[in-house]
Amino acid sequence: QVRLVESGGGLVQPGGSLRLSCAASGSIHSINVMTWYRQAPEKERELVAGITSTGRTNYADSVKGRFTISRDNAENTVYLQMNSLKPEDTAVYYCKYSYSISAYWGQGTQVTVSS
């Protein structure tokens, strides 16, 4: 079992920044993929950014150049630095841990971008 705990969400004005964290604990395999997803009200959950245990990253087109995903393998923690936030970034952000056919999700953290 893997437990994921997200933190760092909150209310920010347009153009502002937030840094999300996701700490994983439990049966962590050294080879894994950590991914951030988000879900806005009445919308499908969508991938935001992902990072492999070797540091390879991918991003949704909507966040490229504004968001940066990183990880600390020693601490089993993944981060999402979000800059130049827009109202359309408002959503619940979820962290996902994947290894082989297993996948675990965090409980989510709310990000609200509003003036």
Side-chain angles (χ1 to χ4, degrees):
Q1 285 280 22
V2 175
R3 180 170 181 252
L4 303 171
V5 179
E6 299 107 330
S7 60
L11 173 64
V12 63
Q13 292 187 344
S17 298
L18 281 175
R19 189 191 194 207
L20 305 183
S21 299
C22 173
S25 60
S27 300
I28 306 296
H29 195 278
S30 59
I31 300 174
N32 60 67
V33 178
M34 301 289 286
T35 312
W36 286 99
Y37 285 76
R38 67 186 181 187
Q39 187 166 18
E42 300 181 3
K43 289 191 175 181
E44 297 284 321
R45 189 172 296 189
E46 63 176 359
L47 183 145
V48 176
I51 185 167
T52 69
S53 48
T54 58
R56 189 171 62 191
T57 61
N58 67 292
Y59 296 91
D61 288 342
S62 59
V63 306
K64 281 181 182 176
R66 300 188 298 122
F67 291 11
T68 302
I69 189 170
S70 61
R71 64 188 291 164
D72 182 337
N73 289 334
E75 297 293 329
N76 292 320
T77 300
V78 63
Y79 304 96
L80 186 67
Q81 177 66 43
M82 306 186 294
N83 299 328
S84 303
L85 283 161
K86 305 174 181 179
E88 51 263 43
D89 294 318
T90 296
V92 177
Y93 284 70
Y94 297 91
C95 175
K96 177 185 176 184
Y97 165 95
S98 302
Y99 164 66
S100 185
I101 62 171
S102 300
Y104 298 88
W105 293 86
Q107 82 288 351
T109 185
Q110 176 71 47
V111 171
T112 302
V113 184
S114 175
S115 54

